[in-house]
């Protein structure tokens, strides 16, 4: 059984030999400080692994991926050839979307630079500098990379290009302002989200044009949930954001047979049926401590229509738990999600900076121990 | 028109998050001779309380709180232009900020707007605020309450640093300290030397109001 067969079985809701494992892709990966410690702990040399624009490991040592039985490998879209990241004082960096980040403490955070904060009219949205869809070099060499990984038997996945439609909208506009737009200036809010959707469709057109025939999973991220509830009412999600998500996911499905993976943090149970309806096949991170996101309940309610990806608590078990508690946590999530297939094992978000290497090793060891079918 | 009906109208526009409606209803009440203080107390604030109750019950969302804050701001602005000689009742002064190493401020800014509209004088120092900066502002403005916010678990430890700085400067006894943020519990807040800890803005506001009542008595 190749890793790809294993993953495809899980997607088809059949039980392979064991639960497939994932690590990588900017939301199921590892923060740089934890990765550096892990490599030291395992006695591995640095092999030029890449860190993404916000401090998360973009590429990982293949030796670690093999040690942890990771079934996925990723093909990552590149920035355009002639594009130079803008840098400002205080270490501030600006990406292609005009969104600025700054490292504060461990994390690269969005800062209050809101280039669309003052616009009054939707026509002004076009004046912003958006990613250049005509730029060359984004997918250079990617098709071969994907083909090679495919013929080696890996399950191949894309990585998220950048943040979500909702996220980019408020990053550019300012959180409170964009929220108020949704209530009082729906035309402006919609036009902004449509523009972001159009841009993403242009980018996925290139990305999947190169790798679409060779990937099994396409990743997209858009956070809508907080710990105890959604950030916006489900009714607002349905009215404004859902049509954009649908248009994008329809496009992705038209370009590839791969499954659509959506990362959406927090408490989002009220819209899971909507997500299934608009073509989400794989839902991550199914954050277990968020309100209404109990693993057993999600499996019962949506398990026949969704593959769950993630699910292992990082807020308490991995952050504060002992090795034994991590072992228990993995066993519990396996039991909840794995029966009947439809589960990809991963921590329910990137492994955080201060997580010791022993715990990371224990996490994936436990996956090996409890992930063999039949899972009981 | 009945005064009660006019105030009811103000209230229900706030509950419905209807900004234009609320502004018009406030104006309508003013035109019919309702005193601005009564519009604030019996109309706007009552509406806000109802939204708060709905939030506590899980019937509305953080975005609704942001929106109601905007509705309040716009409505109070109409009232302010009519305050002739009436002095607005100030409940107390709150100095507020997100601790060093943390820049998250959604909860803090919701709290700031609500507290301001509830009658507090709010001095928002911003985000990534060092203990020294908090000290400087507390010294300069002499607040009744110090509000410390953090979202990230690795930065909430900084709250202790701020509180100790206040203690060393001999200012702690003059202050009530409230800690706020998603990971904050009341137990944690007390461990780091705060008087209360909350993970939602509505509860935080209730606590601050309670403190000021006790000060009055």
């Amino acid at each position: 059984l190749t890793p790809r067969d294993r993953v495809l079985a899980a997607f088809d809701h059949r039980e392979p030999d064991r639960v497939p494992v994932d690590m990588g892709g900017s939301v199921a990966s590892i923060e740089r400080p934890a990765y550096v410690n892990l490599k030291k702990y395992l006695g591995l040399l640095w092999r030029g692994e890449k860190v993404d624009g916000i401090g998360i490991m973009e590429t990982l040592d293949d030796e670690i991926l093999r040690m942890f039985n990771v079934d996925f490998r990723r093909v990552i879209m590149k920035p355009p050839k002639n594009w130079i990241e803008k840098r400002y004082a205080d270490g501030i960096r600006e990406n292609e979307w005009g969104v600025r980040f700054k490292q504060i403490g461990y994390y690269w955070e969005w800062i209050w630079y809101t280039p669309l904060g003052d616009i009054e009219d939707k026509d002004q949205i076009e004046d912003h500098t958006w990613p250049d869809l005509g730029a060359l070099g984004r997918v250079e060499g990617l098709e071969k990379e994907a083909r090679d990984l495919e013929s080696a038997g890996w399950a191949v996945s894309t990585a998220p290009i950048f943040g979500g439609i909702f996220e980019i909208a408020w990053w550019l506009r300012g959180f409170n302002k964009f929220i108020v737009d949704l209530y009082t200036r729906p035309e402006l809010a919609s036009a902004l989200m449509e523009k972001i959707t159009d841009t993403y469709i242009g980018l996925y057109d290139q990305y999947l044009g190169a790798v679409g025939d060779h990937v099994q999973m396409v990743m997209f991220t858009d956070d809508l949930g907080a710990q105890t509830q959604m950030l916006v009412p489900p009714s607002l999600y349905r009215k404004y954001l859902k049509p954009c998500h649908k248009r994008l996911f329809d496009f992705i499905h038209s370009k590839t047979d791969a499954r659509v993976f959506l990362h959406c943090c927090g408490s989002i149970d009220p819209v899971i049926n909507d997500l299934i309806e608009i073509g989400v096949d794989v839902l991550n991170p199914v954050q277990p401590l968020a309100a209404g996101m109990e693993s057993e309940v999600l499996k019962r309610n949506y398990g026949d229509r969704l593959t769950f990806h993630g699910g292992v608590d990082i807020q308490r078990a991995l952050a504060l738990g002992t090795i034994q508690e991590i072992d228990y946590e993995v066993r519990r999530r396996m039991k909840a999600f794995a029966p009947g297939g439809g589960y990809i094992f991963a921590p329910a978000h990137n492994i955080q900076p201060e997580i010791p290497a022993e715990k990371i090793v224990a996490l994936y060891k436990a996956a090996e121990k409890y992930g063999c079918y039949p899972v009981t | 028109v009945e005064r009660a009906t006019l105030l009811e109208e103000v209230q229900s526009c706030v509950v419905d998050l209807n900004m234009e409606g609320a502004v018009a209803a406030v104006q309508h009440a003013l035109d019919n001779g309702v005193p601005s203080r009564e519009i604030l107390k019996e109309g706007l604030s009552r509406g806000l309380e109802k939204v708060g109750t709905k939030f506590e019950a899980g019937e509305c969302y953080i975005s609704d709180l942001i929106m109601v804050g905007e509705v309040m701001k716009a409505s109070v602005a109409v009232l302010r232009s009519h305050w002739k000689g009436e002095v607005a009742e100030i409940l107390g002064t709150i100095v507020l900020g997100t601790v060093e190493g943390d820049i998250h401020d959604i909860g803090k800014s919701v709290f700031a707007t609500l507290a301001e509209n509830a009658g507090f004088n709010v001095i928002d120092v911003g985000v990534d605020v060092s203990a020294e900066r908090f000290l400087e502002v507390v010294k300069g403005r002499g607040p009744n309450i110090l509000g410390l916010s953090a979202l990230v678990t690795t930065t909430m430890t900084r709250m202790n640093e701020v509180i100790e700085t206040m203690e060393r400067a001999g200012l702690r006894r003059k202050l009530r300290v409230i800690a706020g943020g998603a990971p904050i519990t009341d137990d944690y807040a007390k461990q780091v030397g705060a008087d209360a800890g909350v993970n939602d803005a509505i509860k935080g506001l209730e606590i601050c109001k309670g403190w000021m009542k006790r000060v009055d008595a």
Side-chain angles (χ1 to χ4, degrees):
Chain A
L1 204 66
T2 66
R4 184 170 54 252
D5 295 335
R6 186 173 294 125
V7 166
L8 288 176
F11 284 163
D12 290 338
H13 292 83
R14 288 181 284 115
E15 294 188 353
D17 54 343
R18 64 164 171 83
V19 171
V21 175
D22 196 8
M23 185 184 200
S26 83
V27 287
S29 184
I30 175 166
E31 300 268 351
R32 191 177 182 280
Y35 185 71
V36 170
N37 283 337
L38 177 66
K39 288 213 77 168
K40 235 184 264 168
Y41 177 78
L42 296 173
L44 295 171
L45 295 173
W46 198 259
R47 290 187 186 151
E49 293 96 312
K50 284 185 197 145
V51 184
D52 73 4
I54 53 168
I56 298 156
M57 294 312 300
E58 191 173 73
T59 61
L60 299 159
D61 190 331
D62 211 63
E63 207 169 326
I64 291 179
L65 296 180
R66 284 173 194 270
M67 193 182 301
F68 291 167
N69 298 317
V70 175
D71 294 284
F72 286 86
R73 293 296 183 274
R74 283 183 167 74
V75 278
I76 301 164
M77 194 155 88
K78 304 171 166 91
K81 239 180 180 167
N82 52 6
W83 179 76
I84 300 162
E85 184 186 56
K86 287 185 189 148
R87 298 202 175 208
Y88 299 90
D90 292 337
I92 292 169
R93 297 157 68 159
E94 182 179 318
N95 72 8
E96 263 193 283
W97 298 77
V99 176
R100 291 187 189 177
F101 289 93
K102 182 185 174 187
Q103 187 167 20
I104 295 164
Y106 277 129
Y107 301 99
W108 281 86
E109 307 276 13
W110 167 80
I111 54 166
W112 301 263
Y113 167 72
T114 53
L116 295 179
D118 294 327
I119 63 167
E120 296 288 339
D121 191 278
K122 63 179 180 166
D123 294 336
Q124 292 168 280
I125 291 170
E126 280 302 328
D127 300 339
H128 180 63
T129 307
W130 295 93
D132 178 4
L133 297 177
L136 300 174
R138 289 185 198 275
V139 294
E140 207 177 79
L142 279 197
E143 187 182 6
K144 185 182 177 317
E145 243 178 76
R147 231 185 308 121
D148 290 349
L149 291 171
E150 188 187 30
S151 50
W154 298 113
V156 189
S157 171
T158 66
I161 297 174
F162 182 48
I165 296 166
F166 176 68
E167 290 166 328
I168 295 174
W170 71 257
W171 283 332
L172 292 175
R173 181 89 172 127
F175 190 78
N176 284 20
K177 212 159 214 174
F178 185 67
I179 291 296
V180 174
D181 288 344
L182 286 172
Y183 289 82
T184 62
R185 287 178 290 259
E187 243 187 59
L188 183 65
S190 278
L192 179 54
M193 290 191 288
E194 294 293 347
K195 175 67 192 177
I196 297 164
T197 309
D198 289 341
T199 309
Y200 262 127
I201 285 178
L203 291 169
Y204 275 104
D205 192 25
Q206 294 179 37
Y207 202 172
L208 299 175
V211 305
D213 291 342
H214 310 290
V215 292
Q216 285 71 53
M217 190 165 87
V218 176
M219 296 177 80
F220 190 72
T221 69
D222 210 350
D223 284 336
L224 301 170
Q227 190 77 25
T228 53
Q229 53 158 221
M230 287 181 64
L231 292 168
V232 296
S235 57
L236 279 187
Y237 170 76
R238 289 180 189 121
K239 201 163 168 192
Y240 298 113
L241 192 53
K242 186 180 170 186
C244 294
H245 278 162
K246 180 178 187 316
R247 195 155 67 85
L248 177 62
F249 301 156
D250 281 349
F251 178 79
I252 293 172
H253 281 303
S254 78
K255 293 283 287 186
T256 175
D257 293 333
R259 303 305 210 278
V260 167
F261 163 112
L262 178 70
H263 163 91
C264 192
C265 273
S267 168
I268 55 159
D269 179 59
V271 297
I272 293 180
N273 273 322
D274 298 88
L275 299 176
I276 295 170
E277 180 196 316
I278 59 174
V280 172
D281 306 296
V282 183
L283 186 65
N284 163 278
V286 282
Q287 190 179 323
L289 302 190
M293 296 295 284
E294 292 80 9
S295 312
E296 295 79 6
V297 178
L298 294 179
K299 181 74 175 178
R300 194 164 60 236
N301 291 345
Y302 312 106
D304 55 334
R305 293 168 291 157
L306 267 186
T307 292
F308 298 104
H309 182 295
V312 177
D313 169 42
I314 67 160
Q315 294 186 293
R316 213 172 291 157
L318 197 58
L320 309 169
T322 59
I323 301 275
Q324 206 182 351
E325 282 161 337
I326 292 170
D327 192 79
Y328 173 79
E329 168 70 14
V330 170
R331 187 174 185 193
R332 176 175 172 194
R333 302 306 163 191
M334 286 287 191
K335 273 172 92 169
F337 286 124
Y343 180 48
I344 311 286
F345 175 89
H349 217 303
N350 296 315
I351 294 168
Q352 297 297 294
E354 286 182 340
I355 306 300
E358 294 90 329
K359 285 192 182 182
I360 303 170
V361 171
L363 177 74
Y364 290 93
K365 275 225 168 107
E368 195 175 345
K369 193 158 127 197
Y370 299 116
C372 283
Y373 281 109
V375 174
T376 49
Chain B
V1 193
E2 284 278 329
R3 182 172 285 202
T5 315
L6 292 164
L7 293 170
E8 183 93 3
E9 178 64 17
V10 172
Q11 219 184 92
S12 69
C13 285
V14 173
V15 174
D16 295 341
L17 310 177
N18 176 352
M19 175 134 52
E20 277 175 30
V23 167
V26 166
Q27 190 61 54
H28 193 209
L30 285 168
D31 293 344
N32 282 278
V34 185
S36 59
R37 183 173 292 193
E38 207 172 319
I39 298 174
L40 181 63
K41 251 187 155 166
E42 303 301 323
L44 294 171
S45 298
R46 281 282 155 79
L48 181 62
E49 270 171 40
K50 282 189 179 168
V51 175
T53 310
K54 277 171 80 177
F55 182 75
E56 293 296 297
E59 288 163 20
C60 73
Y61 294 82
I62 186 90
S63 64
D64 296 325
L65 290 189
I66 290 171
M67 190 57 208
V68 82
E70 297 299 317
V71 172
M72 292 293 288
K73 257 190 215 166
S75 306
V76 170
V78 176
L79 284 186
R80 286 227 167 99
S81 61
H82 286 260
W83 272 332
K84 296 175 200 118
E86 287 180 76
V87 180
E89 188 185 356
I90 299 282
L91 283 178
T93 297
I94 305 177
V95 164
L96 190 64
T98 302
V99 296
E100 194 170 0
D102 201 331
I103 60 143
H104 298 93
D105 75 340
I106 293 173
K108 174 176 72 68
S109 66
V110 168
F111 174 81
T113 309
L114 298 182
E116 210 162 271
N117 287 310
F120 280 98
N121 173 28
V122 178
I123 301 154
D124 190 343
V125 200
V127 297
D128 193 16
V129 181
S130 66
E132 294 70 38
R133 174 81 185 124
F134 273 118
L135 179 62
E136 201 182 299
V137 179
V138 166
K139 266 187 183 160
R141 309 297 284 265
N144 310 85
I145 297 169
L146 173 63
L148 303 175
S149 175
L151 175 73
V152 185
T153 47
T154 49
T155 61
M156 55 192 224
T157 52
R158 298 289 181 116
M159 291 181 164
N160 185 244
E161 233 173 87
V162 179
I163 294 167
E164 277 180 356
T165 305
M166 296 301 152
E167 242 153 38
R168 278 197 299 273
L171 294 168
R172 176 66 183 90
R173 277 183 305 118
K174 298 174 188 161
L175 282 172
R176 296 281 197 165
V177 180
I178 184 164
I184 305 292
T185 61
D186 198 48
D187 280 350
Y188 178 81
K190 282 172 182 152
Q191 259 176 53
V192 297
D195 298 302
V198 286
N199 61 4
D200 89 60
I202 299 281
K203 266 187 220 144
L205 183 57
E206 287 314 308
I207 289 172
C208 291
K209 278 182 177 167
W211 283 342
M212 297 322 291
K213 267 185 205 145
R214 252 176 275 158
V215 171
D216 288 348

